[in-house]
Amino acid sequence: MNNDIFQGYKGEALEVLKKFNVRVWSHAIIDTTRGKFEGTILPRSEHQDDKHIVVKLATGYNIGITAKNIKSIKELGYKKAHYGIPQKEFPYTPGLPKVKLFGTGGTIASRLDYRTGAVIPAFSPGELYGAVPELADIVNLETEKVFAVFSENMGPEQYIALAKAVAKEIEKGVDGIVIGHGTDTMHHTAAALTFMVQNSPVPIVLVGSQRSSDRPSSDAALNLMHAMKAAGHSDIAEVLVCMFGPTSDEYGLLHKGTRVRKMHSSYRSTFRTIGDTPVAMVTREKITPIKRNYHHRRKDKNVKLLPYFDNRVAMVYYYPGMKPDIIYSLIDNGYKGIVFVGTGLGHVNKAVYPALEKAQEEGVHMYMTVQTLWGYVQMFVYDTGRDIMARGVIPAGNMLPEVAYIKLGWALGQTHDLEKVKELMLTPVNDEITLREPYNGYLVFQGGVPEVEEFIRKIHK
Ligand code: ASP
């Protein structure tokens, strides 16, 4: 156990703090091989590595500095912050829906104490209630930490474990599920859950935060309230992503798990529905549907669990000048599926054709999506498209590239039969391929365009 002044530090990182005689919560200048940084040394949590010192800069961002790059640290001051958040028992309120919150990690889980910037290791109902007491007015809550990872570390193994945990909870009779998740790959997990947990009678809502909870502009608390509202009270029994709608904190949006994408690296309104409009708007008080055709909440507990994934699938983002060797190496390494993200209507260059032929011969399942994200693959328009299709590449409609990647892994987890995989790929589970994209969809919620403002005024009365 480290004592209080080195809270959570171990290994190399602890050695560096000791060497320069600085404590957690010191305000310090850190001289490194990459320049000087000034800020407050933050505590670390049990599940973090022993190689970095975490510093809160004046901008509010936390950075990790590799311990071995540190030349010296000079303490300028010290102000111990209150670490941890008060634990209060989450009250049970008869009549409120019962929601289960699964924690997987990400910013929303790791920095919930917005007053101190402290890193908290988990989120028990007590900690959550201490941080966001308003949650108790919305739902009765149970929590469970399934993982504590930043979302780049989520993958097939985690999707399967999460899908099983979610289905089990639904079978027990919960009124809604919320999943705290890192935002970076939330749309991959949302797609995976859509395919793995089908026919859910209750909402399954993924939520995260773009700004850590120690920053005044954090979206963590509000996103959580919106997600709880959606999970406990909405009629939309689908896998949804719940994040800020506009850049202000006016309302949240609920996006379909198969049509959503993280589109901005730092805005809180980073999640956008692509190729459609969001399903609904959400505030603490109410849920306002935008789409009418969604799966309605049911009273039964009949969920269909399909926890399959073959991870020998790759996504290849085409760039001009691509050489076939990349595809050859995938084939040689035993990959069974490739999702191409092609230019325009779905193209790759001629140089890649021989590799497509080889992949086709080897029975590799190949699908085409588009880099434009909006719109459909159209491989009949140019010769190029026809040539690529003749080499076994199947157009995936308006399926988003990441969704196609997840779906192909899920499909190949069930069968390797070319026709059966094609049928699974091209039969939508929940709008991952749609017949048309709404004419106003492309502009909606991009902001600053007259027709957009008018659309928002109409919906948001
Ligand atoms: N890197 C973090 C993650 O995706 C970002 C976040 O949580 O928003 O886990």
Side-chain angles (χ1 to χ4, degrees), residues 106-107 150-152 182-184 209:
T107 301
F150 285 118
S151 70
E152 58 273 24
T183 55
D184 295 355
S209 74

Side-chain angles (χ1 to χ4, degrees), residues 417-436:
D417 180 277
L418 277 172
E419 277 313 305
K420 288 200 184 119
V421 170
K422 185 173 168 188
E423 196 187 323
L424 281 170
M425 284 300 284
L426 301 184
T427 311
V429 172
N430 191 4
D431 283 356
E432 62 273 25
I433 299 181
T434 56
L435 276 180
R436 63 188 69 82

Side-chain angles (χ1 to χ4, degrees), residues 358-374:
K358 175 91 192 305
Q360 187 181 26
E361 260 167 53
E362 301 280 330
V364 177
H365 305 253
M366 293 184 283
Y367 288 83
M368 181 62 76
T369 61
V370 289
Q371 293 178 6
T372 56
L373 302 179
W374 285 85

Side-chain angles (χ1 to χ4, degrees), residues 3-49:
N3 58 29
D4 196 41
I5 61 172
F6 299 122
Q7 233 162 37
Y9 280 89
K10 50 194 178 194
E12 284 172 38
L14 176 63
E15 290 315 310
V16 172
L17 291 185
K18 282 188 175 163
K19 182 170 160 199
F20 296 106
N21 205 14
V22 279
R23 303 160 281 178
V24 162
W25 301 120
S26 299
H27 183 73
I29 290 197
I30 300 127
D31 192 11
T32 78
T33 50
R34 305 213 167 147
K36 287 191 175 151
F37 300 94
E38 182 174 335
T40 305
I41 301 190
L42 292 182
R44 306 216 76 193
S45 74
E46 55 181 17
H47 53 267
Q48 291 174 316
D49 69 44

